[in-house]
Amino acid sequence: MKVLITGSHGQVGHCLVNVLSVRDDIQVFAYDREGMDITKAAQVISIVSELKPDVIMNCAAHTAVDKAETDIEMSYAINRDGPRYLAKAAESVGALMLHISTDYVFDGDKSLPYVETDKPNPKGVYGQSKLEGEEAVIANCSRYAILRTAWVFGEHGNNFVKTMLRLGKDRPELGIIGDQFGGPTYAGDIAKALIVMMEQFHCASNAMSGIYHFSGAPHVSWFQFAQTIFDSAQRHSALASQPIVNEITAAEYPLPAPRPANSRLACAKIESVFGIKPSDWRQALENIKAYS
């Protein structure tokens, strides 16, 4: 099976390349932006037409949420136009397309976890551009799965866990937001989920096409997530001592882009269809020294 991976230097893309590259039954074609710029339709079509992959995994995205508010053109080019070009290319060669999306397509005002059928209502440029990317995939590819996830972290790349460990070494006291809730999601588990989906799609019909939610459990606030990170870091000697962590509100730490107060994603559908359970983010933190 030929698998084309975009965003190969990102958190999830890096994990996918590592896992799939050692399999004898998979031929991996991994691209970062220098290798294939997904915002250039001609380049996408040329590469996909030449390789004729069985699967395209799109892990490329403009994820700088605050920067997206001013870097609007680039956000839409990467998050909307790129998925459109990839979807069209996938359809032209009969490939399955797996596309990563985000909790930011929702406004975060719901009191319960979001299900796949809830109406999106993004509050910022990042969420709107990602939503339009979803719509582009659905409109242009008949065999696809869109995986919405949230609060991604891993050993590779920049993320909340690494930031907390860095700040925990430099500062004796921190203020962390306690009124935004979600499910931290380990990048390695996202990669595993995509691989399971790919393998089951390979033996099934297009009826599996659709949107799926996948994130971590249990749901926590950023404040609770930080506390767990520091507990694990001290337990595994990744930090000599923990900083004092104070719970603050989002209003006390204003940012250019609005964040959903509720980023909790219900994951019953992906478990029912593919047998994939939510990411065990606390278990992923047992390897916390690898994040330093």
Side-chain angles (χ1 to χ4, degrees):
M1 188 187 305
K2 294 181 180 179
V3 179
L4 188 158
I5 300 170
T6 66
S8 61
H9 287 177
Q11 293 190 83
V12 178
H14 180 81
C15 292
L16 281 168
V17 173
N18 284 349
V19 173
L20 293 177
S21 293
V22 298
R23 286 183 46 168
D24 294 334
D25 61 331
I26 302 288
Q27 190 175 4
V28 176
F29 300 92
Y31 291 93
D32 57 13
R33 190 173 183 184
E34 286 68 36
M36 180 171 68
D37 186 343
I38 66 169
T39 69
K40 297 180 178 178
Q43 189 176 103
V44 170
I45 293 169
S46 175
I47 292 173
V48 172
S49 298
E50 180 181 351
L51 296 179
K52 293 181 173 57
D54 299 291
V55 183
I56 295 176
M57 294 186 173
N58 182 32
C59 304
H62 188 292
T63 58
V65 178
D66 291 322
K67 190 177 180 182
E69 293 299 308
T70 53
D71 198 6
I72 298 173
E73 185 176 346
M74 184 56 67
S75 295
Y76 278 96
I78 297 173
N79 295 339
R80 177 195 61 196
D81 300 341
R84 178 186 296 119
Y85 303 148
L86 287 166
K88 287 183 176 181
E91 188 71 6
S92 71
V93 297
L96 164 68
M97 182 164 173
L98 300 178
H99 174 69
I100 299 176
S101 192
T102 174
D103 58 296
Y104 276 74
V105 300
F106 299 114
D107 55 26
D109 295 338
K110 185 182 178 182
S111 59
L112 297 173
Y114 283 94
V115 296
E116 288 82 353
T117 53
D118 283 328
K119 185 178 180 180
N121 184 33
K123 288 184 173 180
V125 172
Y126 170 67
Q128 183 63 40
S129 64
K130 289 295 289 182
L131 175 60
E132 293 186 27
E134 290 184 5
E135 294 168 346
V137 171
I138 294 168
N140 291 285
C141 190
S142 57
R143 297 182 68 234
Y144 70 90
I146 293 166
L147 193 71
R148 290 178 181 151
T149 191
W151 294 23
V152 182
F153 72 94
E155 299 89 344
H156 179 79
N158 298 317
N159 53 69
F160 185 76
V161 174
K162 289 190 172 186
T163 298
M164 288 300 101
L165 291 176
R166 185 182 71 252
L167 294 178
K169 292 176 182 177
D170 297 339
R171 301 182 187 178
E173 191 168 352
L174 297 171
I176 306 296
I177 293 172
D179 58 353
Q180 293 175 347
F181 296 85
T185 315
Y186 178 53
D189 289 339
I190 299 174
K192 289 178 183 177
L194 289 169
I195 292 169
V196 169
M197 295 171 81
M198 173 187 75
E199 292 173 337
Q200 293 192 29
F201 251 102
H202 195 57
C203 305
S205 69
N206 293 356
M208 299 175 83
S209 292
I211 297 172
Y212 296 89
H213 288 176
F214 177 75
S215 65
H219 295 139
V220 290
S221 68
W222 288 112
F223 170 75
Q224 293 167 324
F225 188 21
Q227 286 184 312
T228 308
I229 292 167
F230 292 132
D231 287 344
S232 182
Q234 189 168 24
R235 189 169 64 253
H236 292 285
S237 302
L239 276 179
S241 61
Q242 295 192 40
I244 297 170
V245 183
N246 300 308
E247 186 173 1
I248 63 173
T249 66
E252 293 176 88
Y253 191 69
L255 294 165
R259 267 70 171 169
N262 175 21
S263 287
R264 296 175 298 157
L265 300 175
C267 301
K269 180 182 176 182
I270 196 170
E271 185 168 357
S272 173
V273 176
F274 294 100
I276 297 171
K277 297 183 180 297
S279 173
D280 187 346
W281 61 268
R282 291 178 297 186
Q283 180 60 40
L285 289 180
E286 290 301 299
N287 187 36
I288 197 143
K289 284 189 174 180
Y291 300 85
S292 299

